[in-house]
Amino acid sequence: MTAGTTDRADEAADRRREQRGWYFYDFACSVYSTSVLTVFLGPYLTSVARAAADADGFVHPLGVPVRAGSLFAYAVSVSVILAVLTMPLVGAAADRTGRKKPLLAAAAYLGAAATAGMFFLDGDRYLLGALLLIVANASLSVSMVFYNAFLPQIATPGERDRVSSRGWAFGYTSGALVLVVNLVLYTGHDTFGVSESTAVRICLASAGVWWGAFTVVPLRRLRDRRAPRAGEGAVGTGWRQLVNTLRDMRRHPLTLAFLLAYLVYNDGVQTVISQASIYGSEELGLDQTTLIVAVLLVQILAVAGALGMGRLAARYGAKRTIEGSLVVWTLILAAGYFLPAHSPAAFFVLAAAIGMVLGGSQALSRSLFSHLVPRGKEAEYFSAYEMSDRGLSWLGPLVFGLAYQLTGSYRDAIISLVVFFALGLGLLVRVPVRAAVAAAGNPVPDRI
């Protein structure tokens, strides 16, 4: 074996070690998305807000009248706006200094601490719940900037669909594992000698503990690539760097075109994830146990869906596979509008369909975008991507909340989301991804 062959083998082994560590951040933080954002916090925070509401069903945070049933959606929107103001700055700082790991750690542990603090959400403390949600959700979004920015550094172009899909699969696996424990605790809370409310608060807080504990793995495995630029460490240059980043992105209009499409269709995905429990409990009259089982089904099938869509991408290309998933998403929402109330079986069928497309559409979008990022600007560009992923996903929850506030019907709210998938698909079809990869200065994979 020649020295060059040995070096390449050692480099591949080091890359695989980092990839395995990278997977574990999905494993750590996805429990928040599943147990907190998707299952427990929406219905629980809504019940807390209703306990504090006036005779007309409104609470008044900062003197603003808000229907109790809309508080959760509005809090999600505020968290996303906060993330929008933060992500480009931290992304630019990470690329200037090359120090992604410390920033990932800070964001992850702030979010984990806020989630653990949800144990104290009881009585009529809806303001505390909204504040902790805003901090935790914004922290997750910021941490994902650094996490995603590692992808083009730890995986070759030919590996990225597979690595990204495995990351999502790890996340859905952890979500399923913790949901099983949550289900045992919630359904058997009397056996464990705790009230239903206390069981929910334990489930919420345990997600924060899990998030913090498993974040240790990627922090030990991933390594920073220091590539300092002029002005390294100058915090005051953050906004100036943001302006420069936006100007630089104008030089890559095809990358921007993909981001626009992703912004639109992923807004719909994120809103479905965050509002599904509210729809199931409030409109369909399903109990918490049914919702937990449905989300558990989503998690299990999302593992297979993410890996399966990764294989489809290897055969048909990531773009065509994503386009197919958006057609399925549109059909899912249309079916959801007509879903009969008090019908767990029908809800489980819909959950199964969501699981099959959820992980794959997100994983392939992430890997596809990684090909469109100019080298050396990963964190800056992934901050823009994360705006589309979570940072600009305030519009969907806002539309959902407004639709309910104006009509009093969650069915009207859920059907309003169809436009995000239909419009996003139309925009994605128009993006010539092979030309976009070449324009970013990256090698074009055989199939994309």
Side-chain angles (χ1 to χ4, degrees):
M1 182 179 293
T2 66
T5 303
T6 302
D7 289 343
R8 285 193 296 272
D10 290 343
E11 181 182 339
D14 289 343
R15 196 166 63 246
R16 287 193 297 271
R17 183 178 186 276
E18 282 195 274
Q19 289 169 3
R20 288 191 292 267
W22 185 81
Y23 299 148
F24 268 91
Y25 190 67
D26 256 321
F27 192 83
C29 69
S30 292
V31 171
Y32 165 83
S33 299
T34 302
S35 291
V36 177
L37 199 62
T38 304
V39 177
F40 287 108
L41 189 57
Y44 185 69
L45 182 57
T46 300
S47 69
V48 171
R50 283 182 173 151
D54 59 22
D56 295 321
F58 285 82
V59 290
H60 300 270
L62 304 178
V64 179
V66 174
R67 191 185 291 269
S70 295
L71 177 72
F72 176 71
Y74 289 157
V76 171
S77 291
V78 172
S79 73
V80 169
I81 291 170
L82 176 62
V84 166
L85 299 176
T86 307
M87 288 189 297
L89 304 182
V90 297
D95 280 335
R96 264 200 327 274
T97 65
R99 294 178 59 82
K100 298 180 181 70
K101 274 208 315 186
L103 293 169
L104 171 63
Y109 283 110
L110 177 60
T115 305
M118 292 177 185
F119 179 79
F120 302 102
L121 175 59
D122 60 357
D124 60 357
R125 297 178 180 175
Y126 74 93
L127 280 177
L128 174 65
L131 177 62
L132 292 174
L133 168 59
I134 289 168
V135 172
N137 219 41
S139 297
L140 177 64
S141 296
V142 171
S143 72
M144 293 302 290
V145 170
F146 311 116
Y147 172 65
N148 288 335
F150 275 107
L151 177 59
Q153 296 181 338
I154 65 171
T156 64
E159 295 173 335
R160 290 180 198 168
D161 285 346
R162 174 181 56 81
V163 170
S164 184
S165 296
R166 285 186 178 179
W168 280 107
F170 264 62
Y172 287 117
T173 299
S174 73
L177 289 173
V178 174
L179 265 184
V180 169
V181 177
N182 291 160
L183 181 61
V184 171
L185 175 60
Y186 180 80
T187 57
H189 60 84
D190 288 334
T191 303
F192 294 103
V194 297
S195 67
E196 181 178 324
S197 172
T198 301
V200 171
R201 291 188 290 117
I202 291 173
C203 292
L204 293 171
S206 65
V209 175
W210 181 284
W211 184 357
F214 283 99
T215 294
V216 172
V217 179
L219 293 179
R220 290 178 63 88
R221 290 288 185 93
L222 294 171
R223 61 184 178 87
D224 281 326
R225 278 83 168 163
R226 293 188 59 83
R229 302 180 186 180
E232 176 182 350
V235 176
T237 65
W239 286 106
R240 191 160 57 249
Q241 181 62 54
L242 170 60
V243 172
N244 291 337
T245 300
L246 294 176
R247 287 175 177 168
D248 185 74
M249 292 189 73
R250 290 170 58 189
R251 296 171 46 232
H252 301 283
L254 298 180
T255 300
L256 282 176
F258 173 80
L259 270 180
L260 177 61
Y262 181 68
L263 180 157
V264 174
Y265 71 74
N266 191 66
D267 206 343
V269 173
Q270 295 299 324
T271 307
V272 172
I273 293 171
S274 65
Q275 306 303 319
S277 288
I278 289 284
Y279 185 69
S281 62
E282 300 296 323
E283 184 66 39
L284 302 181
L286 302 175
D287 58 35
Q288 190 73 61
T289 300
T290 299
L291 296 177
I292 295 173
V293 173
V295 175
L296 180 58
L297 180 62
V298 169
Q299 299 301 301
I300 294 171
L301 291 178
V303 175
L307 297 176
M309 287 182 64
R311 293 190 182 95
L312 287 175
R315 182 172 182 179
Y316 299 107
K319 182 189 175 188
R320 289 179 65 187
T321 306
I322 295 168
E323 290 168 349
S325 76
L326 296 182
V327 173
V328 176
W329 272 111
T330 303
L331 296 174
I332 286 171
L333 284 183
Y337 177 80
F338 295 103
L339 210 64
H342 309 291
S343 178
F347 194 68
F348 291 153
V349 171
L350 200 67
I354 290 174
M356 293 306 296
V357 294
L358 176 60
S361 59
Q362 293 177 315
L364 293 178
S365 295
R366 177 170 64 185
S367 60
L368 179 56
F369 181 72
S370 72
H371 293 284
L372 311 182
V373 178
R375 184 168 299 185
K377 299 182 179 180
E378 292 86 2
E380 289 180 40
Y381 273 62
F382 267 108
S383 70
Y385 175 86
E386 194 63 26
M387 283 186 188
S388 301
D389 190 1
R390 287 180 175 85
L392 289 184
S393 293
W394 55 269
L395 183 58
L398 181 62
V399 168
F400 188 93
L402 284 173
Y404 175 73
Q405 179 145 340
L406 293 174
T407 68
S409 169
Y410 282 109
R411 290 187 187 272
D412 292 338
I414 202 72
I415 199 63
S416 69
L417 303 179
V418 168
V419 68
F420 291 98
F421 294 100
L423 180 57
L425 174 60
L427 292 171
L428 180 60
V429 167
R430 297 171 60 87
V431 179
V433 291
R434 299 185 70 85
V437 175
N442 295 321
V444 182
D446 292 336
R447 199 172 295 278
I448 192 171

